Amino acid sequence: MDHPTTQSRPRTLFLGLAPSRRLPIPPSPPIRVAPAPHAMLRKVVLAGLAATAVDAFTAPTGFFGTRQAPAAKINSVKPVSARTQRVNGAASLRAAEATKNKLPASVKPGVVTGQALVDLLKYAKENNFAIPGVNIVGSNSINACMEAAAKYGGPIMVTFSKGGGQFIAGKSLPNKNDEASIAGCIAGALHVRAVAKQYGIPVVLHTDHCQKAWLPWIDGLMAANEDYYKTHGEPLFSSHMLDLSEEPLEENVEICKKYLERMAKCNVLLEMELGVTGGEEDGVDNTGVDSARLYTQPEEVWYTYQELSKVPNGHFTIAASFGNVHGVYAPGNVDLKPVILHNTQKYISEKLGGKDKKPVNFVFHGGSGSSLEDIRYAIEAGVIKMNIDTDTQWAFWDGVRGYEAKYHDYLQGQIGNPEGATKPNKKYYDPRMMLRAGEEAMAKRLIQAAEDLNCVNVL
């Protein structure tokens, strides 16, 4: 079978609709970013998994009264052009119409896996919305995700990174063999499973970028999935991402195919990456990468689609790069070309006979700071999930910062404030107060993201 190799991969880009017309990628400078055991573990995992029959938890109630944190400032979405308003008007109408369609019966409140996840992603693509995929670092950011989803009326993807898992377990723990990263991700997943149904929304449990050197991390999580599957008939996690985009194309696809064969046996979905997402995020540093590598070729996606489709019961999504960069940058530093996704869908659709116009489930990495026009145009091309991290990190911090600013004079000592020299300040410096302010601000930012993604009132 003819397919492009990494060595001979053409550095051209489909910009026109005709597959025969190729235009060279305009040169651009590199993107620069400012410094911004498994056996023992399995026993621990099994003990934890045995405690997951906690579907009847009572929804937690707050103790914060009516005091509200200052609203986070949202500055990352670019102004919308007149053309965007015309295009997005139709997209918004279609998203609103999605609420009239019947949500697949398999999709219920709580963690969604297996066929239910496949049905949910199909429902999203058919109704022109994408699910926010949010990186989390603990129960506070997890809860903010689910709180937001309950408010905007749509699904949410709670995403664990290797570093995020380590942070949940505790940064003081050894992590030489990824034992802390594995244990932390499992602990976070169990937390989601314990409370997700109480929020009344579908939740996708996902893990983020895993490069080749980090595969033992995924191996540990797959062992947990397999153990959970034996007891509960479904995996612990919904999906995992392998990011082998730095490897030659054939090796990338070969390893992904091997893992998909294992995942398919316990109904885990695979997300894989083609091309490179620029910038830096959670230990993955692609700053200064050759700009040509930020754009994926349709032939590469077609080859990948063919190979992964050979896996029985295998389900997958593809993060095809179209200029994506992690982080938020000044205007002009990031050149997204979502037309690549449109042309790739057309290319593969024709290869398959043309019946399915959007055969590929695409995901959008580096979504923070993207223009509304690019987001909506990418959704039109079959993007069913967009990753968000930088913007939600800022929102959480801004909520905490705003709380401190509002109650500054009550946070300078345990005793003494503007109400009197002997007045106690315990209720102001209680960590739950500032953390709740961060949760509220993060949830507010995610509601805005859901609106951008047409993911409002779709349940």
Side-chain angles (χ1 to χ4, degrees), residues 68-133:
Q68 299 294 323
K73 297 179 181 179
I74 308 300
N75 298 314
S76 61
V77 175
K78 303 174 186 176
V80 182
S81 67
R83 173 188 177 278
T84 304
Q85 293 174 3
R86 291 194 298 272
V87 172
N88 295 337
S92 297
L93 179 60
R94 284 189 291 273
E97 291 173 346
T99 62
K100 301 177 183 179
N101 297 336
K102 186 177 180 180
L103 185 72
S106 60
V107 181
K108 297 178 174 63
V111 175
V112 179
T113 65
Q115 188 59 47
L117 176 57
V118 174
D119 293 344
L120 176 61
L121 300 185
K122 180 181 179 182
Y123 177 73
K125 186 160 64 172
E126 289 176 345
N127 293 286
N128 288 290
F129 72 87
I131 302 169

Side-chain angles (χ1 to χ4, degrees), residues 300-317:
E300 297 170 324
V301 183
W302 170 232
Y303 169 65
T304 302
Y305 183 92
Q306 287 178 292
E307 291 301 306
L308 296 184
S309 294
K310 295 176 182 178
V311 178
N313 194 43
H315 297 286
F316 58 92
T317 61

Side-chain angles (χ1 to χ4, degrees), residues 278-280 325-329 334 366-369 390:
E280 189 274 334
V325 178
H326 289 132
V328 176
Y329 307 96
V334 178
S368 293
T390 305

Side-chain angles (χ1 to χ4, degrees), residues 82-238:
R83 173 188 177 278
T84 304
Q85 293 174 3
R86 291 194 298 272
V87 172
N88 295 337
S92 297
L93 179 60
R94 284 189 291 273
E97 291 173 346
T99 62
K100 301 177 183 179
N101 297 336
K102 186 177 180 180
L103 185 72
S106 60
V107 181
K108 297 178 174 63
V111 175
V112 179
T113 65
Q115 188 59 47
L117 176 57
V118 174
D119 293 344
L120 176 61
L121 300 185
K122 180 181 179 182
Y123 177 73
K125 186 160 64 172
E126 289 176 345
N127 293 286
N128 288 290
F129 72 87
I131 302 169
V134 189
N135 283 69
I136 57 82
V137 294
S139 62
N140 294 108
S141 48
I142 289 173
N143 294 347
C145 288
M146 295 188 288
E147 177 182 346
K151 290 179 177 178
Y152 65 68
I156 188 77
M157 183 175 289
V158 174
T159 306
F160 299 83
S161 66
K162 181 172 176 286
Q166 181 185 12
F167 189 82
I168 292 171
K171 290 287 286 186
S172 66
L173 293 180
N175 200 37
K176 182 178 180 181
N177 297 310
D178 299 322
E179 56 267 45
S181 292
I182 295 168
C185 289
I186 292 171
L190 294 175
H191 169 76
V192 174
R193 282 192 169 273
V195 301
K197 289 183 180 180
Q198 310 307 314
Y199 288 88
I201 43 91
V203 180
V204 181
L205 278 175
H206 183 62
T207 58
D208 207 3
H209 295 266
C210 176
Q211 55 197 20
K212 188 176 180 179
W214 293 356
L215 287 174
W217 169 50
I218 294 297
D219 292 337
L221 298 181
M222 280 304 302
N225 283 321
E226 290 158 350
D227 288 336
Y228 197 90
Y229 186 85
K230 291 176 184 177
T231 304
H232 302 277
E234 67 172 337
L236 177 61
F237 290 86
S238 310

Side-chain angles (χ1 to χ4, degrees), residues 138-421:
S139 62
N140 294 108
S141 48
I142 289 173
N143 294 347
C145 288
M146 295 188 288
E147 177 182 346
K151 290 179 177 178
Y152 65 68
I156 188 77
M157 183 175 289
V158 174
T159 306
F160 299 83
S161 66
K162 181 172 176 286
Q166 181 185 12
F167 189 82
I168 292 171
K171 290 287 286 186
S172 66
L173 293 180
N175 200 37
K176 182 178 180 181
N177 297 310
D178 299 322
E179 56 267 45
S181 292
I182 295 168
C185 289
I186 292 171
L190 294 175
H191 169 76
V192 174
R193 282 192 169 273
V195 301
K197 289 183 180 180
Q198 310 307 314
Y199 288 88
I201 43 91
V203 180
V204 181
L205 278 175
H206 183 62
T207 58
D208 207 3
H209 295 266
C210 176
Q211 55 197 20
K212 188 176 180 179
W214 293 356
L215 287 174
W217 169 50
I218 294 297
D219 292 337
L221 298 181
M222 280 304 302
N225 283 321
E226 290 158 350
D227 288 336
Y228 197 90
Y229 186 85
K230 291 176 184 177
T231 304
H232 302 277
E234 67 172 337
L236 177 61
F237 290 86
S238 310
S239 54
H240 296 298
M241 181 198 180
L242 299 185
D243 180 2
L244 305 174
S245 55
E246 294 184 355
E247 312 306 322
L249 176 64
E250 293 85 353
E251 183 177 359
N252 180 353
V253 174
E254 180 183 1
I255 294 175
C256 284
K257 187 176 179 181
K258 176 182 176 182
Y259 272 85
L260 182 57
E261 289 170 349
R262 182 180 181 183
M263 293 177 178
K265 295 176 182 178
C266 58
N267 292 331
V268 176
L269 182 142
L270 168 71
E271 177 185 322
M272 63 90 65
E273 179 158 340
L274 294 173
V276 174
T277 301
E280 189 274 334
E281 181 182 53
D282 210 348
V284 179
D285 189 352
N286 288 324
T287 56
V289 69
D290 179 1
S291 60
R293 296 185 64 196
L294 301 179
Y295 302 94
T296 304
Q297 297 297 313
E299 299 98 331
E300 297 170 324
V301 183
W302 170 232
Y303 169 65
T304 302
Y305 183 92
Q306 287 178 292
E307 291 301 306
L308 296 184
S309 294
K310 295 176 182 178
V311 178
N313 194 43
H315 297 286
F316 58 92
T317 61
I318 298 177
S321 297
F322 55 100
N324 318 61
V325 178
H326 289 132
V328 176
Y329 307 96
N333 284 351
V334 178
D335 186 16
L336 289 178
K337 299 184 184 295
V339 69
I340 290 174
L341 304 183
H342 284 269
N343 295 334
T344 299
Q345 292 281 29
K346 184 176 186 295
Y347 179 84
I348 295 177
S349 177
E350 291 174 350
K351 291 286 188 180
L352 295 173
K355 184 177 180 180
D356 187 348
K357 300 303 181 183
K358 292 187 287 189
V360 183
N361 285 335
F362 282 125
V363 297
F364 183 161
H365 280 237
S368 293
S370 300
S371 73
L372 185 57
E373 182 174 12
D374 285 339
I375 291 172
R376 293 280 175 82
Y377 194 44
I379 291 173
E380 291 286 339
V383 163
I384 45 78
K385 186 260 291 190
M386 186 179 82
N387 283 15
I388 307 166
D389 185 20
T390 305
D391 279 358
T392 48
Q393 286 180 340
W394 171 259
F396 195 100
W397 153 248
D398 203 32
V400 172
R401 179 207 58 76
Y403 176 83
E404 191 283 330
K406 183 175 182 179
Y407 298 106
H408 177 81
D409 293 342
Y410 295 81
L411 299 170
Q412 303 310 303
Q414 289 182 287
I415 303 294
N417 60 47
E419 298 176 19

